[in-house]
Amino acid sequence: PVDAMAMLGMGGAAPAPPPAAPGSFPPFQAWNKNGLQIEFACTKDASNPSVTAIEASFTSAQPTPLTGFNFQVAVPKYMKLQMSPASSSTVPPSNSGKVTQTFKVANSMHGQKPVLLRIKIDYSAGGQAVSEQGQVDNFPPGI
């Protein structure tokens, strides 16, 4: 076991450390509807615990690709939001791949009010336009 502990500090290009690492949290399911699944992986800014970076991963179990995919986030007034563009506007079919999008939220009431997101998702599936809205409030403790 001592050798394994020593190895944890080495290997610069190794995969991300286990979820127990300071500042990172285990990924969780933020959305699951009509075959579209969204998973959030959160990390904290070490210098500012009120800032959370979130990587959203989008996968689809539908047999056809989700095209024109657009994911939007809104936050309460006590929070700030900074979005980056999605890696693609097409989510591959049958869980054959994923689209990712990162965004940061700053919670001015960190420790007093939780991170809370309203999300809007638009896409076309098999020629049919779909628009979904919802709320994500199941963030792990400490976010």
Side-chain angles (χ1 to χ4, degrees), residues 20-97:
S24 71
F25 297 82
F28 69 96
Q29 187 172 286
W31 181 267
N32 190 356
K33 192 172 180 184
N34 297 329
L36 173 65
Q37 187 169 318
I38 305 174
E39 190 175 85
F40 281 179
C42 303
T43 51
K44 282 285 186 192
D45 184 325
S47 62
N48 185 351
S50 69
V51 175
T52 305
I54 303 167
E55 182 183 76
S57 298
F58 308 97
T59 54
S60 173
Q62 295 197 22
T64 58
L66 307 184
T67 57
F69 184 80
N70 185 27
F71 176 70
Q72 293 174 296
V73 175
V75 295
K77 287 190 180 0
Y78 61 88
M79 293 176 62
K80 286 196 165 65
L81 170 70
Q82 181 184 348
M83 296 279 290
S84 298
S87 58
S88 172
S89 62
T90 302
V91 181
S94 311
N95 294 317
S96 62

Side-chain angles (χ1 to χ4, degrees), residues 68-136:
F69 184 80
N70 185 27
F71 176 70
Q72 293 174 296
V73 175
V75 295
K77 287 190 180 0
Y78 61 88
M79 293 176 62
K80 286 196 165 65
L81 170 70
Q82 181 184 348
M83 296 279 290
S84 298
S87 58
S88 172
S89 62
T90 302
V91 181
S94 311
N95 294 317
S96 62
K98 69 179 180 179
V99 170
T100 58
Q101 186 166 7
T102 56
F103 57 99
K104 282 184 177 177
V105 293
N107 184 352
S108 66
M109 304 287 284
H110 179 66
Q112 299 167 48
K113 291 193 174 184
V115 170
L116 184 66
L117 306 178
R118 300 269 318 146
I119 60 171
K120 186 172 189 290
I121 308 155
D122 295 298
Y123 59 88
S124 292
Q128 187 114 14
V130 178
S131 185
E132 299 277 7
Q133 292 187 52
Q135 181 168 296
V136 180

